[in-house]
Amino acid sequence: MTSIIFMGTPDFSVPVLKGLVEKGYEVKAVVTQPDKKVGRKQKITKTPAKIAAEELDIPVYQPVKLSGSSELDELIAMNADFIVTAAYGQFLPTKFLNSAKIAAVNVHGSLLPKYRGGAPIQYSLINGDKETGITIMEMVKKMDAGDIYAQKAIEIEPDDTAGSLFEKLSYLGRDLLLETLPKISDGSVQKVTQNEEEVVFSPNITKNQERITSKMTAQEANNLLRGLNPDPGAYMMVNGKRFKVWKAEVADESTDLEAGSLVENKGRFAISFANNTVLNLLEVQPAGKKKMPIQSFLNGQASKFTVGEKIIDD
């Protein structure tokens, strides 16, 4: 039986892990990030990969840093055929990568060399791409720079968010990995070297990137909020207060109002953006409130706004 050490952390990794087990691979261990304190009550929360591993009765390792840890020596001693990673979240020591008898393989959520880094799915939406996909690649010490074993693309739908794309790509990644591992084992796969001139990076999202401003077009604003939904979410400053926007649509109209102005607040909440574009807000979360459909917000707040006034603070 082909043996695997699996490394993953978020929901994205769970279908991949379960797929390996269901296909009959021997998963000797699951390595995931340490449990974290979450929410106002700071409740200790297990990673999705850990929860799945415990359900599957697979030993779990959670080193704060794998390099130099006692866990590293234990994992190397397992002498696994494959190391498989899917959104693990740490760099792996070279001696660990080299310990795989056949290969160390990564399931990456983009069509490399585009979007190397920690947030490929988010950037595909933020940048308005029409497609994304999965890359099965050989792991090397340099981030997401290994040779490509296989790729498969999917179309990005107009209503896709980071959440929906993560789910779609996790299953696509599972299927492509299970299709590719036997080819790596028997040597029939043809690796492709990445073109370094085409590399695009996708570093982790920072707090400064979460803010929608009126300098954006309506399409750019909509792309941003889709890329940051469900986590961490995008916001704008409306009359001095933080105002999260979870869902919107680009209106099929233009306006002469100054960017950041209220276009309409009866039946819809429409705001002007750069290049005379208009964005209809559909689901919002005012400061201190829960998410709500825009009609619920308008029922209590519409009278506080005047059409034509600038409401977005940049």
Side-chain angles (χ1 to χ4, degrees), residues 46-71:
K46 300 176 181 179
T47 71
K50 180 178 182 178
I51 294 170
E54 290 178 341
E55 291 172 353
L56 296 166
D57 200 26
I58 300 172
V60 176
Y61 292 77
Q62 295 180 279
V64 173
K65 185 179 180 182
L66 184 59
S67 182
S69 67
S70 59
E71 290 93 339

Side-chain angles (χ1 to χ4, degrees), residues 23-314:
K23 198 68 174 179
Y25 287 97
E26 179 193 4
V27 180
K28 290 188 170 185
V30 168
V31 187
T32 188
Q33 296 284 14
D35 299 341
K36 288 186 176 181
K37 295 179 180 179
V38 176
R40 293 180 180 178
K41 295 183 179 180
Q42 293 290 281
K43 181 181 179 181
I44 298 295
T45 303
K46 300 176 181 179
T47 71
K50 180 178 182 178
I51 294 170
E54 290 178 341
E55 291 172 353
L56 296 166
D57 200 26
I58 300 172
V60 176
Y61 292 77
Q62 295 180 279
V64 173
K65 185 179 180 182
L66 184 59
S67 182
S69 67
S70 59
E71 290 93 339
L72 175 60
D73 294 333
E74 289 185 45
L75 293 166
I76 290 174
M78 290 179 186
N79 204 27
D81 295 308
F82 285 100
I83 296 167
V84 175
T85 68
Y88 171 52
Q90 286 190 36
F91 282 105
L92 304 184
T94 300
K95 69 175 183 178
F96 178 56
L97 296 177
N98 292 340
S99 73
K101 289 194 291 184
I102 299 176
V105 179
N106 182 37
V107 182
H108 186 76
S110 80
L111 299 172
L112 292 170
K114 192 173 187 179
Y115 301 138
R116 290 181 183 177
I121 296 172
Q122 292 92 327
Y123 278 92
S124 68
L125 287 161
I126 291 169
N127 292 337
D129 293 353
K130 300 301 181 184
E131 70 171 10
T132 184
I134 286 289
T135 299
I136 307 297
M137 56 166 283
E138 181 179 32
M139 292 198 70
V140 295
K141 189 169 184 180
K142 187 177 179 181
M143 182 178 64
D144 299 330
D147 289 348
I148 294 169
Y149 290 118
Q151 287 185 318
K152 192 165 187 178
I154 60 169
E155 183 180 350
I156 297 177
E157 303 291 342
D159 59 348
D160 268 326
T161 63
S164 66
L165 270 189
F166 265 96
E167 183 173 7
K168 291 178 183 179
L169 290 174
S170 67
Y171 288 101
L172 182 66
R174 174 200 64 186
D175 295 345
L176 189 59
L177 176 70
L178 294 177
E179 179 185 317
T180 305
L181 284 180
K183 297 177 184 178
I184 300 174
S185 294
D186 65 22
S188 63
V189 70
Q190 296 294 318
K191 295 191 293 185
V192 176
T193 300
Q194 294 187 44
N195 185 341
E196 292 294 325
E197 294 181 359
E198 296 178 356
V199 170
V200 178
F201 290 100
S202 59
N204 290 334
I205 301 297
T206 66
K207 288 188 178 298
N208 290 337
Q209 291 174 278
E210 298 171 18
R211 185 170 175 176
I212 298 169
T213 75
S214 64
K215 296 180 178 66
M216 300 174 179
T217 65
Q219 186 64 63
E220 289 168 342
N222 196 42
N223 290 344
L224 179 63
L225 68 91
R226 289 166 60 214
L228 301 187
N229 183 350
D231 183 62
Y235 73 94
M236 57 182 69
M237 295 302 294
V238 174
N239 293 337
K241 295 183 179 180
R242 191 181 179 97
F243 191 86
K244 279 199 167 186
V245 184
W246 293 103
K247 188 176 181 181
E249 63 180 5
V250 179
D252 188 20
E253 65 185 271
S254 60
T255 179
D256 292 329
L257 290 173
E258 178 186 2
S261 300
L262 182 65
V263 175
E264 187 175 336
N265 65 343
K266 291 183 179 179
R268 64 181 181 131
F269 198 60
I271 300 174
S272 62
F273 280 83
N275 298 349
N276 309 110
T277 56
V278 178
L279 188 70
N280 291 330
L281 309 190
L282 302 178
E283 185 178 34
V284 299
Q285 186 176 6
K289 303 290 185 180
K290 295 181 179 180
K291 290 182 188 179
M292 64 183 74
I294 197 61
Q295 196 56 54
S296 296
F297 172 75
L298 290 175
N299 287 342
Q301 301 293 323
S303 62
K304 297 181 180 180
F305 297 93
T306 303
V307 170
E309 71 171 328
K310 185 173 172 63
I311 63 171
I312 296 182
D313 306 321
D314 290 332

